[in-house]
PDB file of all heavy atoms in Angstrom:
ATOM      1  N   VAL O 860     -23.211   0.991  10.719  1.00 89.00           N
ATOM      2  CA  VAL O 860     -22.562   0.856   9.410  1.00 89.00           C
ATOM      3  C   VAL O 860     -21.804  -0.458   9.307  1.00 89.00           C
ATOM      4  O   VAL O 860     -21.886  -1.170   8.295  1.00 89.00           O
ATOM      5  CB  VAL O 860     -21.618   2.052   9.177  1.00 89.00           C
ATOM      6  CG1 VAL O 860     -20.691   1.794   7.987  1.00 89.00           C
ATOM      7  CG2 VAL O 860     -22.428   3.323   8.955  1.00 89.00           C
ATOM      8  N   ARG O 861     -21.066  -0.802  10.337  1.00 89.00           N
ATOM      9  CA  ARG O 861     -20.275  -2.038  10.316  1.00 89.00           C
ATOM     10  C   ARG O 861     -21.165  -3.259  10.106  1.00 89.00           C
ATOM     11  O   ARG O 861     -20.838  -4.155   9.321  1.00 89.00           O
ATOM     12  CB  ARG O 861     -19.501  -2.162  11.633  1.00 89.00           C
ATOM     13  CG  ARG O 861     -18.621  -3.403  11.765  1.00 89.00           C
ATOM     14  CD  ARG O 861     -17.840  -3.328  13.078  1.00 89.00           C
ATOM     15  NE  ARG O 861     -17.065  -4.523  13.322  1.00 89.00           N
ATOM     16  CZ  ARG O 861     -17.540  -5.612  13.922  1.00 89.00           C
ATOM     17  NH1 ARG O 861     -18.801  -5.653  14.322  1.00 89.00           N
ATOM     18  NH2 ARG O 861     -16.762  -6.661  14.130  1.00 89.00           N
ATOM     19  N   GLU O 862     -22.298  -3.308  10.808  1.00 87.00           N
ATOM     20  CA  GLU O 862     -23.198  -4.455  10.695  1.00 87.00           C
ATOM     21  C   GLU O 862     -23.799  -4.566   9.299  1.00 87.00           C
ATOM     22  O   GLU O 862     -23.940  -5.658   8.753  1.00 87.00           O
ATOM     23  CB  GLU O 862     -24.317  -4.336  11.742  1.00 87.00           C
ATOM     24  CG  GLU O 862     -23.826  -4.541  13.170  1.00 87.00           C
ATOM     25  CD  GLU O 862     -24.898  -4.193  14.182  1.00 87.00           C
ATOM     26  OE1 GLU O 862     -25.753  -3.334  13.867  1.00 87.00           O
ATOM     27  OE2 GLU O 862     -24.883  -4.755  15.285  1.00 87.00           O
ATOM     28  N   VAL O 864     -22.516  -3.428   6.441  1.00 89.00           N
ATOM     29  CA  VAL O 864     -21.481  -3.845   5.487  1.00 89.00           C
ATOM     30  C   VAL O 864     -21.190  -5.335   5.635  1.00 89.00           C
ATOM     31  O   VAL O 864     -21.128  -6.075   4.644  1.00 89.00           O
ATOM     32  CB  VAL O 864     -20.196  -3.014   5.678  1.00 89.00           C
ATOM     33  CG1 VAL O 864     -19.059  -3.578   4.820  1.00 89.00           C
ATOM     34  CG2 VAL O 864     -20.460  -1.554   5.315  1.00 89.00           C
ATOM     35  N   LEU O 865     -21.044  -5.818   6.860  1.00 88.00           N
ATOM     36  CA  LEU O 865     -20.751  -7.235   7.079  1.00 88.00           C
ATOM     37  C   LEU O 865     -21.920  -8.144   6.691  1.00 88.00           C
ATOM     38  O   LEU O 865     -21.716  -9.321   6.366  1.00 88.00           O
ATOM     39  CB  LEU O 865     -20.386  -7.468   8.547  1.00 88.00           C
ATOM     40  CG  LEU O 865     -18.972  -7.021   8.930  1.00 88.00           C
ATOM     41  CD1 LEU O 865     -18.807  -7.013  10.452  1.00 88.00           C
ATOM     42  CD2 LEU O 865     -17.924  -7.919   8.298  1.00 88.00           C
ATOM     43  N   THR O 868     -21.798 -10.379   3.590  1.00 82.00           N
ATOM     44  CA  THR O 868     -21.092 -11.664   3.513  1.00 82.00           C
ATOM     45  C   THR O 868     -22.045 -12.842   3.678  1.00 82.00           C
ATOM     46  O   THR O 868     -21.662 -13.984   3.413  1.00 82.00           O
ATOM     47  CB  THR O 868     -20.013 -11.772   4.609  1.00 82.00           C
ATOM     48  OG1 THR O 868     -20.659 -11.816   5.897  1.00 82.00           O
ATOM     49  CG2 THR O 868     -19.058 -10.591   4.553  1.00 82.00           C
ATOM     50  N   ASN O 879     -16.234 -14.286   9.812  1.00 80.00           N
ATOM     51  CA  ASN O 879     -14.918 -14.803  10.150  1.00 80.00           C
ATOM     52  C   ASN O 879     -13.873 -13.683  10.102  1.00 80.00           C
ATOM     53  O   ASN O 879     -14.188 -12.529   9.779  1.00 80.00           O
ATOM     54  CB  ASN O 879     -14.543 -15.964   9.219  1.00 80.00           C
ATOM     55  CG  ASN O 879     -14.530 -15.557   7.750  1.00 80.00           C
ATOM     56  OD1 ASN O 879     -14.119 -14.452   7.403  1.00 80.00           O
ATOM     57  ND2 ASN O 879     -14.980 -16.456   6.891  1.00 80.00           N
ATOM     58  N   LYS O 880     -12.637 -14.028  10.428  1.00 83.00           N
ATOM     59  CA  LYS O 880     -11.585 -13.016  10.500  1.00 83.00           C
ATOM     60  C   LYS O 880     -11.332 -12.350   9.157  1.00 83.00           C
ATOM     61  O   LYS O 880     -11.059 -11.144   9.087  1.00 83.00           O
ATOM     62  CB  LYS O 880     -10.296 -13.656  11.030  1.00 83.00           C
ATOM     63  CG  LYS O 880     -10.355 -14.058  12.494  1.00 83.00           C
ATOM     64  CD  LYS O 880      -9.019 -14.629  12.952  1.00 83.00           C
ATOM     65  CE  LYS O 880      -9.075 -15.009  14.431  1.00 83.00           C
ATOM     66  NZ  LYS O 880      -7.777 -15.582  14.889  1.00 83.00           N
ATOM     67  N   GLN O 881     -11.440 -13.122   8.076  1.00 84.00           N
ATOM     68  CA  GLN O 881     -11.211 -12.560   6.757  1.00 84.00           C
ATOM     69  C   GLN O 881     -12.295 -11.549   6.397  1.00 84.00           C
ATOM     70  O   GLN O 881     -12.012 -10.515   5.785  1.00 84.00           O
ATOM     71  CB  GLN O 881     -11.165 -13.670   5.694  1.00 84.00           C
ATOM     72  CG  GLN O 881     -10.716 -13.180   4.320  1.00 84.00           C
ATOM     73  CD  GLN O 881      -9.343 -12.543   4.355  1.00 84.00           C
ATOM     74  OE1 GLN O 881      -8.387 -13.136   4.857  1.00 84.00           O
ATOM     75  NE2 GLN O 881      -9.231 -11.328   3.836  1.00 84.00           N
ATOM     76  N   ASP O 882     -13.530 -11.837   6.798  1.00 84.00           N
ATOM     77  CA  ASP O 882     -14.620 -10.882   6.576  1.00 84.00           C
ATOM     78  C   ASP O 882     -14.311  -9.550   7.254  1.00 84.00           C
ATOM     79  O   ASP O 882     -14.508  -8.474   6.677  1.00 84.00           O
ATOM     80  CB  ASP O 882     -15.941 -11.422   7.132  1.00 84.00           C
ATOM     81  CG  ASP O 882     -16.453 -12.637   6.380  1.00 84.00           C
ATOM     82  OD1 ASP O 882     -16.110 -12.792   5.192  1.00 84.00           O
ATOM     83  OD2 ASP O 882     -17.197 -13.426   6.993  1.00 84.00           O
ATOM     84  N   LEU O 883     -13.835  -9.627   8.480  1.00 86.00           N
ATOM     85  CA  LEU O 883     -13.530  -8.413   9.239  1.00 86.00           C
ATOM     86  C   LEU O 883     -12.381  -7.642   8.603  1.00 86.00           C
ATOM     87  O   LEU O 883     -12.411  -6.409   8.537  1.00 86.00           O
ATOM     88  CB  LEU O 883     -13.196  -8.775  10.689  1.00 86.00           C
ATOM     89  CG  LEU O 883     -14.339  -9.422  11.486  1.00 86.00           C
ATOM     90  CD1 LEU O 883     -13.843  -9.888  12.846  1.00 86.00           C
ATOM     91  CD2 LEU O 883     -15.497  -8.447  11.647  1.00 86.00           C
ATOM     92  N   LYS O 884     -11.370  -8.369   8.105  1.00 86.00           N
ATOM     93  CA  LYS O 884     -10.246  -7.711   7.422  1.00 86.00           C
ATOM     94  C   LYS O 884     -10.722  -7.039   6.141  1.00 86.00           C
ATOM     95  O   LYS O 884     -10.327  -5.911   5.830  1.00 86.00           O
ATOM     96  CB  LYS O 884      -9.152  -8.733   7.110  1.00 86.00           C
ATOM     97  CG  LYS O 884      -8.385  -9.215   8.326  1.00 86.00           C
ATOM     98  CD  LYS O 884      -7.293 -10.201   7.923  1.00 86.00           C
ATOM     99  CE  LYS O 884      -6.516 -10.689   9.131  1.00 86.00           C
ATOM    100  NZ  LYS O 884      -5.465 -11.680   8.739  1.00 86.00           N
ATOM    101  N   ASN O 885     -11.557  -7.737   5.377  1.00 85.00           N
ATOM    102  CA  ASN O 885     -12.082  -7.163   4.139  1.00 85.00           C
ATOM    103  C   ASN O 885     -12.900  -5.901   4.414  1.00 85.00           C
ATOM    104  O   ASN O 885     -12.810  -4.916   3.680  1.00 85.00           O
ATOM    105  CB  ASN O 885     -12.956  -8.182   3.407  1.00 85.00           C
ATOM    106  CG  ASN O 885     -12.160  -9.335   2.833  1.00 85.00           C
ATOM    107  OD1 ASN O 885     -10.944  -9.251   2.680  1.00 85.00           O
ATOM    108  ND2 ASN O 885     -12.849 -10.420   2.514  1.00 85.00           N
ATOM    109  N   ALA O 886     -13.687  -5.958   5.490  1.00 87.00           N
ATOM    110  CA  ALA O 886     -14.511  -4.800   5.847  1.00 87.00           C
ATOM    111  C   ALA O 886     -13.647  -3.599   6.199  1.00 87.00           C
ATOM    112  O   ALA O 886     -13.923  -2.469   5.771  1.00 87.00           O
ATOM    113  CB  ALA O 886     -15.424  -5.150   7.025  1.00 87.00           C
ATOM    114  N   GLU O 887     -12.574  -3.829   6.958  1.00 88.00           N
ATOM    115  CA  GLU O 887     -11.695  -2.723   7.338  1.00 88.00           C
ATOM    116  C   GLU O 887     -11.056  -2.084   6.107  1.00 88.00           C
ATOM    117  O   GLU O 887     -10.936  -0.854   6.016  1.00 88.00           O
ATOM    118  CB  GLU O 887     -10.606  -3.225   8.294  1.00 88.00           C
ATOM    119  CG  GLU O 887     -11.102  -3.512   9.701  1.00 88.00           C
ATOM    120  CD  GLU O 887     -11.667  -2.277  10.386  1.00 88.00           C
ATOM    121  OE1 GLU O 887     -10.993  -1.217  10.360  1.00 88.00           O
ATOM    122  OE2 GLU O 887     -12.769  -2.360  10.929  1.00 88.00           O
ATOM    123  N   LYS O 888     -10.638  -2.900   5.145  1.00 86.00           N
ATOM    124  CA  LYS O 888     -10.037  -2.368   3.923  1.00 86.00           C
ATOM    125  C   LYS O 888     -11.041  -1.514   3.153  1.00 86.00           C
ATOM    126  O   LYS O 888     -10.702  -0.456   2.611  1.00 86.00           O
ATOM    127  CB  LYS O 888      -9.537  -3.515   3.039  1.00 86.00           C
ATOM    128  CG  LYS O 888      -8.320  -4.237   3.589  1.00 86.00           C
ATOM    129  CD  LYS O 888      -7.911  -5.375   2.660  1.00 86.00           C
ATOM    130  CE  LYS O 888      -6.704  -6.120   3.217  1.00 86.00           C
ATOM    131  NZ  LYS O 888      -6.304  -7.261   2.343  1.00 86.00           N
ATOM    132  N   ILE O 889     -12.283  -1.985   3.093  1.00 85.00           N
ATOM    133  CA  ILE O 889     -13.317  -1.251   2.375  1.00 85.00           C
ATOM    134  C   ILE O 889     -13.656   0.048   3.101  1.00 85.00           C
ATOM    135  O   ILE O 889     -13.848   1.096   2.474  1.00 85.00           O
ATOM    136  CB  ILE O 889     -14.569  -2.124   2.195  1.00 85.00           C
ATOM    137  CG1 ILE O 889     -14.279  -3.267   1.224  1.00 85.00           C
ATOM    138  CG2 ILE O 889     -15.751  -1.294   1.678  1.00 85.00           C
ATOM    139  CD1 ILE O 889     -15.382  -4.286   1.122  1.00 85.00           C
ATOM    140  N   PHE O 890     -13.709   0.009   4.446  1.00 88.00           N
ATOM    141  CA  PHE O 890     -13.970   1.226   5.212  1.00 88.00           C
ATOM    142  C   PHE O 890     -12.930   2.296   4.890  1.00 88.00           C
ATOM    143  O   PHE O 890     -13.256   3.470   4.713  1.00 88.00           O
ATOM    144  CB  PHE O 890     -13.942   0.934   6.720  1.00 88.00           C
ATOM    145  CG  PHE O 890     -15.089   0.099   7.205  1.00 88.00           C
ATOM    146  CD1 PHE O 890     -14.907  -0.827   8.218  1.00 88.00           C
ATOM    147  CD2 PHE O 890     -16.355   0.245   6.669  1.00 88.00           C
ATOM    148  CE1 PHE O 890     -15.959  -1.600   8.676  1.00 88.00           C
ATOM    149  CE2 PHE O 890     -17.419  -0.523   7.124  1.00 88.00           C
ATOM    150  CZ  PHE O 890     -17.219  -1.447   8.123  1.00 88.00           C
ATOM    151  N   ILE O 891     -11.675   1.876   4.803  1.00 86.00           N
ATOM    152  CA  ILE O 891     -10.598   2.820   4.516  1.00 86.00           C
ATOM    153  C   ILE O 891     -10.708   3.349   3.088  1.00 86.00           C
ATOM    154  O   ILE O 891     -10.628   4.561   2.847  1.00 86.00           O
ATOM    155  CB  ILE O 891      -9.227   2.148   4.739  1.00 86.00           C
ATOM    156  CG1 ILE O 891      -9.029   1.847   6.232  1.00 86.00           C
ATOM    157  CG2 ILE O 891      -8.091   3.046   4.229  1.00 86.00           C
ATOM    158  CD1 ILE O 891      -7.811   0.989   6.536  1.00 86.00           C
ATOM    159  N   SER O 892     -10.908   2.451   2.130  1.00 80.00           N
ATOM    160  CA  SER O 892     -10.910   2.859   0.724  1.00 80.00           C
ATOM    161  C   SER O 892     -12.105   3.745   0.376  1.00 80.00           C
ATOM    162  O   SER O 892     -12.010   4.603  -0.508  1.00 80.00           O
ATOM    163  CB  SER O 892     -10.904   1.629  -0.185  1.00 80.00           C
ATOM    164  OG  SER O 892     -12.090   0.866  -0.035  1.00 80.00           O
ATOM    165  N   LEU O 893     -13.229   3.578   1.089  1.00 83.00           N
ATOM    166  CA  LEU O 893     -14.415   4.378   0.798  1.00 83.00           C
ATOM    167  C   LEU O 893     -14.624   5.523   1.800  1.00 83.00           C
ATOM    168  O   LEU O 893     -15.657   6.184   1.782  1.00 83.00           O
ATOM    169  CB  LEU O 893     -15.665   3.486   0.776  1.00 83.00           C
ATOM    170  CG  LEU O 893     -15.714   2.412  -0.306  1.00 83.00           C
ATOM    171  CD1 LEU O 893     -17.062   1.703  -0.298  1.00 83.00           C
ATOM    172  CD2 LEU O 893     -15.455   3.001  -1.690  1.00 83.00           C
ATOM    173  N   LEU O 895     -14.971   5.437   5.133  1.00 89.00           N
ATOM    174  CA  LEU O 895     -16.020   5.138   6.114  1.00 89.00           C
ATOM    175  C   LEU O 895     -15.464   4.772   7.484  1.00 89.00           C
ATOM    176  O   LEU O 895     -16.234   4.432   8.382  1.00 89.00           O
ATOM    177  CB  LEU O 895     -16.893   3.975   5.608  1.00 89.00           C
ATOM    178  CG  LEU O 895     -17.669   4.212   4.319  1.00 89.00           C
ATOM    179  CD1 LEU O 895     -18.287   2.901   3.834  1.00 89.00           C
ATOM    180  CD2 LEU O 895     -18.745   5.268   4.528  1.00 89.00           C
ATOM    181  N   ILE O 896     -14.166   4.821   7.646  1.00 90.00           N
ATOM    182  CA  ILE O 896     -13.533   4.321   8.862  1.00 90.00           C
ATOM    183  C   ILE O 896     -14.055   5.038  10.115  1.00 90.00           C
ATOM    184  O   ILE O 896     -14.210   4.425  11.179  1.00 90.00           O
ATOM    185  CB  ILE O 896     -11.995   4.438   8.771  1.00 90.00           C
ATOM    186  CG1 ILE O 896     -11.346   3.566   9.839  1.00 90.00           C
ATOM    187  CG2 ILE O 896     -11.530   5.871   8.829  1.00 90.00           C
ATOM    188  CD1 ILE O 896     -11.457   2.094   9.610  1.00 90.00           C
ATOM    189  N   LYS O 899     -18.076   3.813  11.022  1.00 87.00           N
ATOM    190  CA  LYS O 899     -18.497   2.419  11.093  1.00 87.00           C
ATOM    191  C   LYS O 899     -19.346   2.078  12.307  1.00 87.00           C
ATOM    192  O   LYS O 899     -20.074   1.084  12.299  1.00 87.00           O
ATOM    193  CB  LYS O 899     -17.293   1.486  11.021  1.00 87.00           C
ATOM    194  CG  LYS O 899     -16.290   1.614  12.146  1.00 87.00           C
ATOM    195  CD  LYS O 899     -15.111   0.665  11.917  1.00 87.00           C
ATOM    196  CE  LYS O 899     -14.113   0.732  13.043  1.00 87.00           C
ATOM    197  NZ  LYS O 899     -12.975  -0.204  12.817  1.00 87.00           N
ATOM    198  N   ALA O 917     -20.141  -0.389  -0.116  1.00 88.00           N
ATOM    199  CA  ALA O 917     -19.221  -1.218   0.664  1.00 88.00           C
ATOM    200  C   ALA O 917     -19.821  -2.590   0.926  1.00 88.00           C
ATOM    201  O   ALA O 917     -19.139  -3.620   0.835  1.00 88.00           O
ATOM    202  CB  ALA O 917     -18.886  -0.525   1.987  1.00 88.00           C
ATOM    203  N   LEU O 920     -19.539  -4.686  -2.084  1.00 86.00           N
ATOM    204  CA  LEU O 920     -18.181  -5.025  -2.496  1.00 86.00           C
ATOM    205  C   LEU O 920     -17.473  -6.021  -1.578  1.00 86.00           C
ATOM    206  O   LEU O 920     -16.426  -6.549  -1.953  1.00 86.00           O
ATOM    207  CB  LEU O 920     -17.325  -3.746  -2.559  1.00 86.00           C
ATOM    208  CG  LEU O 920     -17.722  -2.687  -3.571  1.00 86.00           C
ATOM    209  CD1 LEU O 920     -16.752  -1.516  -3.502  1.00 86.00           C
ATOM    210  CD2 LEU O 920     -17.755  -3.262  -4.977  1.00 86.00           C
ATOM    211  N   ILE O 921     -18.030  -6.296  -0.415  1.00 87.00           N
ATOM    212  CA  ILE O 921     -17.269  -7.027   0.587  1.00 87.00           C
ATOM    213  C   ILE O 921     -16.892  -8.443   0.146  1.00 87.00           C
ATOM    214  O   ILE O 921     -15.875  -8.982   0.568  1.00 87.00           O
ATOM    215  CB  ILE O 921     -18.009  -7.053   1.945  1.00 87.00           C
ATOM    216  CG1 ILE O 921     -17.055  -7.530   3.047  1.00 87.00           C
ATOM    217  CG2 ILE O 921     -19.267  -7.904   1.870  1.00 87.00           C
ATOM    218  CD1 ILE O 921     -17.545  -7.276   4.446  1.00 87.00           C
ATOM    219  N   ASN O 922     -17.681  -9.048  -0.730  1.00 84.00           N
ATOM    220  CA  ASN O 922     -17.339 -10.378  -1.226  1.00 84.00           C
ATOM    221  C   ASN O 922     -16.522 -10.345  -2.512  1.00 84.00           C
ATOM    222  O   ASN O 922     -16.356 -11.371  -3.166  1.00 84.00           O
ATOM    223  CB  ASN O 922     -18.619 -11.202  -1.464  1.00 84.00           C
ATOM    224  CG  ASN O 922     -19.182 -11.758  -0.175  1.00 84.00           C
ATOM    225  OD1 ASN O 922     -18.459 -11.961   0.797  1.00 84.00           O
ATOM    226  ND2 ASN O 922     -20.474 -11.994  -0.151  1.00 84.00           N
TER     227      ASN O 922
END
Side-chain angles (χ1 to χ4, degrees):
V860 167
R861 180 176 175 274
E862 290 171 332
V864 172
L865 284 168
T868 67
N879 59 38
K880 290 182 179 179
Q881 189 58 52
D882 293 334
L883 297 173
K884 288 181 180 179
N885 291 342
E887 286 299 311
K888 290 179 181 179
I889 291 172
F890 291 145
I891 293 171
S892 64
L893 296 186
L895 297 170
I896 196 70
K899 62 182 182 179
L920 296 181
I921 193 166
N922 281 334

